Amino acid sequence: MKNRFESLKIFCSLAETLQFKETANRLAVSPPVITRIIAELEDYLGEPLFQRNTRQVRLTDFGEQFLPEAQALLAQSERLFISRKQQIGRASCRER
C-alpha cells in the first residue's frame, strides 16, 4: 500500500456512497482501482472493512469502528494544510 492517506480517502468515500462505481466517478478513477485499493487496505489492516455481494455494499463492524478514526485523521490533515497555507498567505501579505 503506497499512499495510506489516499487509501483512507477512498475508504471514507466508499463508506459514504456504498457504491464502487459512484466512488470511482467521484474520485475520477476506474472501479477496479477502488476495488484494488480497498482490498489492499483490508489486507494491510488484517480485517474486512466492507461486506459486499452482487446487490449491496455495507460496512463491517470493524469498518464502522475504523471510519470515524479515518475521518478524523483526514480532517486533521486538511486543517494542518489549510492552516499552513493560510499562514503562508498572511506572511506574504505582510511582506508587501
Side-chain angles (χ1 to χ4, degrees):
M1 185 171 53
K2 289 184 178 182
N3 188 329
R4 292 180 188 172
F5 281 108
E6 193 62 32
S7 297
L8 291 178
K9 286 180 186 178
I10 290 169
F11 164 70
C12 289
S13 183
L14 182 57
E16 182 181 323
T17 67
L18 296 176
Q19 296 179 5
F20 282 81
K21 186 176 180 180
E22 175 63 24
T23 299
N25 287 338
R26 282 185 180 190
L27 301 174
V29 297
S30 68
V33 169
I34 302 299
T35 301
R36 180 180 51 79
I37 290 174
I38 293 298
E40 287 174 1
L41 182 59
E42 290 173 328
D43 186 53
Y44 182 82
L45 296 171
E47 293 278 345
L49 295 165
F50 296 94
Q51 287 184 338
R52 30 201 178 301
N53 61 37
T54 56
R55 293 190 180 263
Q56 70 178 21
V57 175
R58 69 179 194 88
L59 285 166
T60 61
D61 289 340
F62 178 75
E64 296 256 357
Q65 294 170 10
F66 188 72
L67 180 60
E69 293 181 44
Q71 290 170 325
L73 182 62
L74 291 173
Q76 175 77 20
S77 71
E78 286 297 317
R79 282 192 303 273
L80 175 68
F81 287 105
I82 288 171
S83 176
R84 182 69 182 140
K85 189 175 182 180
Q86 288 172 345
Q87 290 172 2
I88 291 169
R90 284 188 208 129
S92 296
C93 290
R94 283 187 231 141
E95 292 171 3
R96 292 181 189 171

